[in-house]
């Protein structure tokens, strides 16, 4: 039977759609596909849909990459097929991909996820005990997942032999059983199980020492089902597919960002074995301090009993903590300070619009901290690469609340401007490329290959973004530390929280090469290397 080689283009989504973002590609050269089989997942504006094979055949080459932003009609992949109805897409073997759109391909119409009109706002937060924990990824039958050191200790403290536990969820990094998984298991399988103990983990030329890390979360838990009350046309499945988030933490009335920062700092200092009285500087990264003046760093210094320490805030949005790490590193290298707290705390729940489908499901609250010192040895932090793209200034913003508009108008018709606002499609497109570039640049600066990297600790922006970045840089997703499912996007706090959580789980080994990367409003970019 005659065969032909066809070049399959990116599908058209209508006259108003000028470009689409490749989220994932699920086929490889040499794979056999059937007509209608999913070959990729694409995003157009606020819709996510499956791109299906237009015919039976064998994949010869994949032209696009995860994270690419492509116009309709751009070359996507090539298939060898016997379907002569697609002869208009035929190309010569060995030819270069087209640069002009070919004729349209008849295909099954995609089914985008609906974006409903908002309804009434949901309550401020829901206490953890009021709903059972939604299921996360469960270990496959017949397999034995790895356990983090903390998970093993929590099990042992409860009198369990972890090697005999078979029916436990494994939601930690790389499919490992985490301490959180064991705590949930004990709550449902072991009567009167003791609360798991949180045991802190002890711990070249431009590097400084990270002596300890810590994180803190507020008391309230907000599940998707509560937020969905304002969006009756959406489902839990859609939210998880779009964001990867199942729940997030919300501060209760009376909880403050400064209070969370105190907890995170004390945990970092305990891990470092340092008396807080030795600290000579506090650098706070936040986009919503407890009050505008004085700096929240000063409030924290007062609470910690180090009133003479240098103290200031900086705001680089989601990249803020990495910006603060670089400032702290430079201070120590220059002799400005010897022992610094680099901390971040965000209560994004206070500025999240419960009626806005673009942000209501994303954001959560939390804090994280690191102790930087001039000591030799320890975990070595290299220079961070910092950059930005102010052309995307309006992609994520909160227009109200500053000097230009300190309070809402008397009519109250601009109240939405006092909440965070986000152009999700624009952020996704720029974030995937930026994350991948930050990781690639760090590899080049340190003469490393992807296989040299033990872990990626990224800003917890969106699970789809992180999966696309993983495919684009060639580092397995199992090596990404991902906490967005339970904490949501906590802006500047997210990298520090993921690092602190992973350190407590004990998944890092001495010498592990860890890459940080973050993209924030502005836009701001930051990335660099930590050798554990």
């Amino acid at each position: 039977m005659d065969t032909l080689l066809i070049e399959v283009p990116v599908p058209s989504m209508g006259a108003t759609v000028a470009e689409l973002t490749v989220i994932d590609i699920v086929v490889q050269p040499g794979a056999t596909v059937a007509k209608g089989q999913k070959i990729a997942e694409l995003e157009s504006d606020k819709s996510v849909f499956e791109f299906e094979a237009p015919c039976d055949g064998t994949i010869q080459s994949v032209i696009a990459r995860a994270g690419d932003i492509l116009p309709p009609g751009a070359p996507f992949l090539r298939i060898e097929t016997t379907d002569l109805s697609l002869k208009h897409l035929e190309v010569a073997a060995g030819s270069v991909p087209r640069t002009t759109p070919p004729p349209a391909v008849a295909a099954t119409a995609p089914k985008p996820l609906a974006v409903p009109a908002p309804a009434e706002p949901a309550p401020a937060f829901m206490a953890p005990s009021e709903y059972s924990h939604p299921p996360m990824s469960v270990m496959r039958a017949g397999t034995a997942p790895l356990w983090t050191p903390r998970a093993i200790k929590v099990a042992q403290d409860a009198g369990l032999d972890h090697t005999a536990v078979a029916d436990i969820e494994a939601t930690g990094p790389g499919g490992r059983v985490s301490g959180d998984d064991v705590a949930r298991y004990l709550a449902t399988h072991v009567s009167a199980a003791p609360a798991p103990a949180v045991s802190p983990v002890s711990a070249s030329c431009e590097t400084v020492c990270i002596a300890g890390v810590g994180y803190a979360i507020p008391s309230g838990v907000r599940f998707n089902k509560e937020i969905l009350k304002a969006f009756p046309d959406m489902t839990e499945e859609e939210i998880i597919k779009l964001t990867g988030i199942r729940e997030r933490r919300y501060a209760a009335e009376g909880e403050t960002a400064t209070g969370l920062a105190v907890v995170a700092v004390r945990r970092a200092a305990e891990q470092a074995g340092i008396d807080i009285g030795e600290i000579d500087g506090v650098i706070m990264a936040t986009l919503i301090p407890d009050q505008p003046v004085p700096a929240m760093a000063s409030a924290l210094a007062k609470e910690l009993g180090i009133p003479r320490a240098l103290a200031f805030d900086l705001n680089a949005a989601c990249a803020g903590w990495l910006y603060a790490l670089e400032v702290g590193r430079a201070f120590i290298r220059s002799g400005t300070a010897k022992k610094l707290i680099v901390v971040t705390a965000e209560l994004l729940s206070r500025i999240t619009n419960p009626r806005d489908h673009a942000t209501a499901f994303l954001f959560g609250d939390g804090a994280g901290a690191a102790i930087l010192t001039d000591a030799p040895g320890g975990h070595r932090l290299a220079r961070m690469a910092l950059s930005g793209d102010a052309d995307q200034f309006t992609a994520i913003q909160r227009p109200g609340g500053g000097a230009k508009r300190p309070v809402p108008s008397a009519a109250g018709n601009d109240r939405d401007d006092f909440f965070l606002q986000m152009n999700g499609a624009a952020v996704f497109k720029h974030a995937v490329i930026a994350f991948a570039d930050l990781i690639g640049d760090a590899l080049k600066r340190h003469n490393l290959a992807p296989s040299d990297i033990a872990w990626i600790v990224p800003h917890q922006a969106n699970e789809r973004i992180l999966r696309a970045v993983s495919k684009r840089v060639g580092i397995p997703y199992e090596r990404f530390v991902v906490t967005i499912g339970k904490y949501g996007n906590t802006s500047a706090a997210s990298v520090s929280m993921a690092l602190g959580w992973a350190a407590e789980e004990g998944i890092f080994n001495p010498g592990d090469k860890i890459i940080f990367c973050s993209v924030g409003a502005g836009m701001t970019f930051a990335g660099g290397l930590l050798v554990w």
Side-chain angles (χ1 to χ4, degrees):
M1 185 177 293
D2 291 339
T3 63
L4 62 155
L5 180 66
I6 65 169
E7 190 169 88
V8 180
V10 174
S12 172
M13 294 293 293
T16 61
V17 178
E19 58 188 18
L20 298 95
T21 302
V22 181
I23 298 172
D24 194 10
I25 300 173
V26 299
V27 294
Q28 296 179 342
T32 299
V33 295
K35 183 175 181 178
Q37 178 180 332
K38 177 181 175 180
I39 58 177
E41 193 171 81
L42 307 180
E43 179 172 25
S44 166
D45 193 14
K46 295 167 184 171
S47 301
V48 178
F49 65 94
E50 295 182 353
F51 183 15
E52 300 175 348
C55 60
D56 297 343
T58 302
I59 305 295
Q60 295 299 308
S61 62
V62 179
I63 301 164
R65 294 193 302 162
D68 281 353
I69 303 166
L70 303 171
F76 194 83
L77 51 70
R78 290 184 173 186
I79 301 178
E80 187 176 58
T81 182
T82 58
D83 190 339
L84 298 182
S85 69
L86 297 177
K87 191 170 179 61
H88 60 290
L89 297 178
E90 184 175 17
V91 293
S95 61
V96 298
R98 310 175 201 257
T99 56
T100 56
V105 180
T108 304
K111 299 177 181 178
L113 299 178
V115 177
E120 289 301 310
F125 77 95
M126 185 62 62
S129 60
E130 297 189 38
Y131 287 95
S132 60
H133 192 284
M136 300 172 79
S137 60
V138 180
M139 60 177 284
R140 292 172 294 172
T143 65
L146 296 174
W147 287 53
T148 68
R150 177 174 173 248
I152 294 172
K153 185 178 187 306
V154 172
Q156 290 173 341
D157 288 347
L160 293 180
D161 177 2
H162 77 282
T163 62
V165 179
D167 55 340
I168 188 169
E169 293 177 336
T171 66
R176 291 167 170 80
V177 176
S178 71
D180 295 337
D181 297 330
V182 179
R184 285 194 298 273
Y185 180 86
L186 293 174
T188 57
H189 290 72
V190 180
S191 60
V198 177
S199 55
V201 179
S202 299
S204 174
C205 69
E206 290 189 330
T207 64
V208 300
C209 172
I210 288 187
V213 294
Y215 75 107
I217 52 177
S219 60
V221 180
R222 187 80 183 279
F223 295 117
N224 287 341
K225 63 173 66 177
E226 286 304 305
I227 301 174
L228 282 167
K229 291 177 181 177
F231 304 93
D233 295 333
M234 296 188 78
T235 67
E236 172 93 1
E237 181 182 7
E238 289 172 342
I239 299 309
I240 293 174
K241 182 175 181 178
L242 285 168
T243 66
I245 301 171
R246 294 163 172 79
E247 64 187 49
R248 70 285 298 144
R249 293 297 181 121
Y250 270 23
E253 185 177 354
E255 288 187 294
T256 65
T258 303
L260 288 179
V262 168
V263 176
V265 169
R266 292 197 185 283
R267 292 173 80 168
E270 184 179 1
Q271 187 184 114
I274 288 176
D275 187 307
I276 289 179
E278 302 173 39
I279 299 296
D280 49 18
V282 180
I283 304 174
M284 167 69 74
T286 185
L287 61 80
I288 178 169
D290 287 331
Q291 63 185 63
V293 179
M296 195 159 81
S298 297
L300 179 59
K302 180 181 179 182
E303 288 289 325
L304 293 172
I306 48 173
R308 300 295 180 264
L310 70 88
F312 63 95
D313 294 356
L314 64 78
N315 178 3
C318 300
W321 192 65
L322 297 187
Y323 268 62
L325 279 182
E326 175 55 19
V327 173
R329 187 202 65 82
F331 275 17
I332 288 175
R333 294 296 306 176
S334 67
T336 300
K338 294 183 179 298
K339 293 178 182 177
L340 281 170
I341 294 169
V342 177
V343 60
T344 170
E346 304 281 30
L347 298 191
L348 300 184
S349 62
R350 307 282 167 86
I351 54 172
T352 296
N353 187 345
R355 296 171 176 265
D356 178 13
H357 69 269
T359 58
F361 300 94
L362 279 180
F363 298 116
D365 302 339
I371 307 294
L372 272 57
T373 78
D374 61 353
H379 315 311
R380 305 306 297 180
L381 176 70
R383 180 179 59 82
M384 294 284 114
L386 310 179
S387 58
D389 180 6
D391 287 337
Q392 302 304 318
F393 181 83
T394 60
I396 312 171
Q397 62 175 335
R398 184 189 179 213
K404 185 166 67 174
R405 205 177 342 156
V407 296
S409 66
N413 56 2
D414 62 347
R415 291 188 181 277
D416 284 355
D417 286 347
F418 289 77
F419 293 115
L420 286 170
Q421 300 175 358
M422 184 178 72
N423 180 336
V427 171
F428 189 98
K429 293 167 189 174
H430 289 87
V432 172
I433 303 299
F435 273 113
D437 287 348
L438 289 164
I439 293 170
D441 289 347
L443 294 174
K444 289 179 184 176
R445 283 199 309 277
H446 300 283
N447 297 313
L448 298 171
S451 58
D452 295 322
I453 302 305
W455 298 98
I456 302 291
V457 181
H459 166 49
Q460 310 291 306
N462 179 303
E463 189 176 276
R464 289 184 301 118
I465 289 176
L466 300 182
R467 287 188 180 277
V469 171
S470 167
K471 291 286 186 76
R472 193 171 182 88
V473 300
I475 296 177
Y477 189 68
E478 291 72 23
R479 283 194 260 154
F480 280 59
V481 176
V482 180
T483 58
I484 191 171
K486 55 186 174 182
Y487 298 142
N489 178 337
T490 55
S491 188
S494 77
V495 175
S496 63
M497 290 173 66
L499 181 68
W501 178 83
E504 286 197 358
E505 288 294 335
I507 68 169
F508 300 145
N509 295 311
D512 275 358
K513 294 178 178 64
I514 301 164
I515 288 181
F516 298 137
C517 51
S518 189
V519 176
M523 296 180 96
T524 55
F525 308 136
L529 179 72
L530 172 68
V531 178
W532 196 257

